[in-house]
Amino acid sequence: MREETGLVCIAPAPAAAGVSAPLAEGVHRRQPPLLLQTNISNRFPILPEWRHRYASGVTENLEHLLYLELPETCEVTLNAAEHVAYRWVNLEEAIRKVTSWTNREALERLRSTAGDRR
């Protein structure tokens, strides 16, 4: 999360490590938000036009779905090597604008479960 956005959060502890407490990332003045593990992953082929961004011979990508609920809108610091801009939008607009099918599916899943958390 910090690499992509500059946002600091508490990552879920890896299940294989046998640790039940979350692992803190970075230094904080107040308790940072918890990154929520979904145990959902997507494996898909990398389109030929994007393979130059990956190591030689890499043809698939494995994505893990995580959610981070922030208490308020905050400043984001992008990784300039990977992103050029960002903006905060509501969930419905995000679903309409996102181009990745895995990101759209993640947002639609969030929309369907948002009522359960309120």
Side-chain angles (χ1 to χ4, degrees):
M1 184 61 62
R2 184 171 42 185
E3 173 196 350
E4 297 285 335
T5 65
L7 299 175
V8 176
C9 64
I10 296 178
V19 180
S20 59
L23 303 174
E25 177 186 280
V27 178
H28 325 284
R29 290 196 180 125
R30 63 183 176 150
Q31 183 71 6
L34 176 65
L35 192 60
L36 303 173
Q37 178 64 263
T38 66
N39 298 315
I40 297 171
S41 298
N42 292 303
R43 182 180 300 275
F44 54 91
I46 300 167
L47 297 174
E49 61 266 28
W50 298 108
R51 288 193 186 148
H52 69 278
R53 294 182 173 209
Y54 297 83
S56 178
V58 175
T59 60
E60 288 188 331
N61 192 19
L62 176 62
E63 240 177 27
H64 302 284
L65 177 57
L66 304 158
Y67 291 114
L68 180 65
E69 185 174 355
L70 299 170
E72 58 199 19
T73 301
C74 58
E75 187 67 27
V76 170
T77 305
L78 297 178
N79 178 334
E82 297 183 27
H83 307 288
V84 295
Y86 82 94
R87 70 180 178 153
W88 293 102
V89 297
N90 67 42
L91 184 55
E92 293 305 317
E93 185 176 353
I95 291 169
R96 284 192 309 275
K97 289 192 172 289
V98 71
T99 58
S100 161
W101 69 268
T102 59
N103 290 342
R104 184 174 299 107
E105 186 178 272
L107 292 169
E108 289 170 345
R109 183 182 304 272
L110 179 62
R111 178 177 59 193
S112 71
T113 62
D116 297 342
R117 296 188 342 263
R118 292 187 179 155

